[in-house]
Amino acid sequence: MDVKSELQNAQLFQNLELLAGQVVEGFISGIHKSPFHGFSAEFAEHKIYNTGESTKHIDWKLFARTDKLYTKRYEEETNLRCHMILDNSASMYYPEVRNLKLGNLNKIGFGVLAIAALMNLLKKQRDAVGLSVYADTYSFYAPEKSSERHFQMLLSQLNRLVREKTDEKRTRTYQFLHHIAEKIHRRSLIFVFSDMFQTEVEEEKLFEALRHLKYNKHEIVLFHLLDKGLEQQFDFDNSPRRFIDVETGQHIDLHAENIREGYRKGIEDYVQALKLKCMQYKIRYVGVDIRSNFSTVLNTFLVERQKFV
């Protein structure tokens, strides 16, 4: 078995940074005639001087060699500020996976690796990234920064999430989105990773919170994570099964075939309502099947980054 295969089959969170890099590398190599001209794997140490800017940081030595005006780019300067919001409630640990690895992920595993891959892209561009994690509490917050130390700290936090198996956790997503909105003051591109399942569905409050995030001209992308086969198509055989609500512990015994049609209709109506609300509030809705690859997430990021900057 070669090193790449070993990496893909290894337990995911022992190799999170390496796997994120591999996901990005595979994605970039698959882009043909990319429209994302602003994206490159290398950093530019200088940026073109624009008329009206301060001349304080012009690199005059470079001007002497090139006859063009460039200003020096410093560590704290970024093209983009990006904030990742991850739902860590109990329902995100569905389906139960004992050995998380590439190609065998639950929703939290997909969300963690997707964020790590996006961080890899942001790091290449010296963009700043922040992270918020919530479940029954607003458990983690880090503001947007672009240093290597900051990236490593966020990777460490992402690693910790799946090592500490969540218990039954109810969540009011809207409550924590309000808290996060209060903390992010400078204009940012915000990505929300959630299955949007709540024990108390209060849709108006939820979208009020998402609208709150739109303040300060933030742009929001909602990545709606679902296991399409199980959670949308209800693709279970017809043997008797016990279905357990992982956030409340309540259960029901039934044959899947008896309710499949009604369930599919219900989830379809819910997703359509979610899409319409997002459209109403100018939030980008992106449905993501966790059984697919990461191209949907990464393509969305590149498109939104081009629009944002």
Side-chain angles (χ1 to χ4, degrees):
M1 182 180 290
D2 60 27
V3 174
K4 186 174 181 180
S5 296
E6 288 181 0
L7 185 59
Q8 287 178 323
N9 291 323
Q11 289 190 9
L12 173 62
F13 299 100
Q14 294 174 355
N15 302 281
L16 181 57
E17 186 173 13
L18 289 173
L19 274 174
Q22 180 184 315
V23 167
V24 170
E25 181 184 344
F27 171 72
I28 293 173
S29 65
I31 297 176
H32 300 289
K33 297 181 180 179
S34 172
F36 308 113
H37 302 297
F39 179 82
S40 68
E42 302 297 330
F43 295 140
E45 295 299 331
H46 296 80
K47 58 183 179 181
I48 296 173
Y49 172 78
N50 293 313
T51 304
E53 289 183 344
S54 169
T55 59
K56 180 179 179 181
H57 298 301
I58 289 178
D59 189 331
W60 295 109
K61 290 182 179 179
L62 188 60
F63 173 73
R65 295 200 307 270
T66 65
D67 201 31
K68 294 182 180 179
L69 290 174
Y70 292 91
T71 56
K72 296 177 182 179
R73 186 192 297 269
Y74 291 90
E75 284 288 330
E76 65 272 14
E77 292 186 65
T78 61
N79 296 317
L80 174 72
R81 302 177 68 83
C82 187
H83 199 90
M84 311 288 182
I85 301 175
L86 180 60
D87 178 354
N88 188 39
S89 59
S91 64
M92 288 288 287
Y93 287 75
Y94 182 83
E96 185 175 349
V97 178
R98 291 188 177 182
N99 180 21
L100 287 171
K101 58 186 179 182
L102 199 60
N104 187 32
L105 299 171
N106 54 15
K107 287 179 285 189
I108 194 67
F110 187 98
V112 163
L113 184 50
I115 289 174
L118 291 176
M119 285 171 51
N120 183 288
L121 289 175
L122 289 159
K123 183 178 177 181
K124 290 179 186 298
Q125 293 296 97
R126 282 188 176 170
D127 291 332
V129 62
L131 175 66
S132 289
V133 181
Y134 69 88
D136 56 338
T137 61
Y138 183 12
S139 55
F140 180 81
Y141 167 77
E144 301 79 31
K145 295 182 182 179
S146 58
S147 69
E148 175 63 25
R149 182 177 181 180
H150 181 72
F151 276 89
Q152 291 301 321
M153 184 270 288
L154 296 188
L155 284 170
S156 176
Q157 176 63 28
L158 291 171
N159 264 308
R160 190 176 300 121
L161 289 180
V162 289
R163 289 188 184 136
E164 299 172 358
K165 179 68 172 70
T166 185
D167 297 321
E168 294 173 1
K169 292 180 181 179
R170 303 183 183 204
T171 186
R172 289 189 176 105
T173 297
Y174 66 85
Q175 188 175 18
F176 303 114
L177 291 182
H178 278 302
H179 293 331
I180 296 165
E182 293 293 337
K183 288 179 174 290
I184 305 174
H185 301 294
R186 295 178 62 182
R187 183 172 178 258
S188 302
L189 181 57
I190 298 174
F191 293 115
V192 182
F193 291 83
S194 174
D195 59 8
M196 301 302 284
F197 289 147
Q198 300 176 89
T199 54
E200 298 177 29
V201 182
E202 300 178 56
E203 292 184 4
E204 287 305 316
K205 288 186 177 182
L206 173 61
F207 282 95
E208 281 177 15
L210 287 170
R211 188 167 56 180
H212 190 180
L213 280 172
K214 290 286 289 185
Y215 290 175
N216 296 326
K217 298 183 179 179
H218 300 315
E219 294 297 329
I220 305 171
V221 178
L222 170 60
F223 288 116
H224 188 197
L225 306 184
L226 292 174
D227 184 316
K228 187 174 181 179
L230 300 180
E231 294 182 304
Q232 284 189 287
Q233 300 302 317
F234 210 61
D235 191 14
F236 296 95
D237 61 43
N238 201 37
S239 58
R241 288 179 178 271
R242 171 165 291 184
F243 293 87
I244 303 172
D245 185 327
V246 293
E247 297 193 359
T248 66
Q250 296 178 343
H251 68 269
I252 184 171
D253 298 319
L254 50 80
H255 290 76
E257 189 175 273
N258 293 343
I259 68 162
R260 184 175 290 118
E261 185 176 344
Y263 175 89
R264 287 176 177 173
K265 180 65 166 58
I267 197 75
E268 182 181 344
D269 289 346
Y270 173 68
V271 170
Q272 286 303 316
L274 194 56
K275 288 179 180 178
L276 287 172
K277 278 289 187 180
C278 285
M279 189 181 300
Q280 179 183 344
Y281 292 118
K282 297 182 179 179
I283 294 165
R284 176 80 181 274
Y285 172 92
V286 181
V288 179
D289 181 5
I290 64 167
R291 298 299 177 186
S292 64
N293 60 35
F294 292 86
S295 60
T296 298
V297 172
L298 298 178
N299 269 317
T300 300
F301 165 76
L302 292 181
V303 170
E304 292 301 317
R305 187 184 190 282
Q306 285 287 99
K307 290 161 54 179
F308 191 83
V309 299

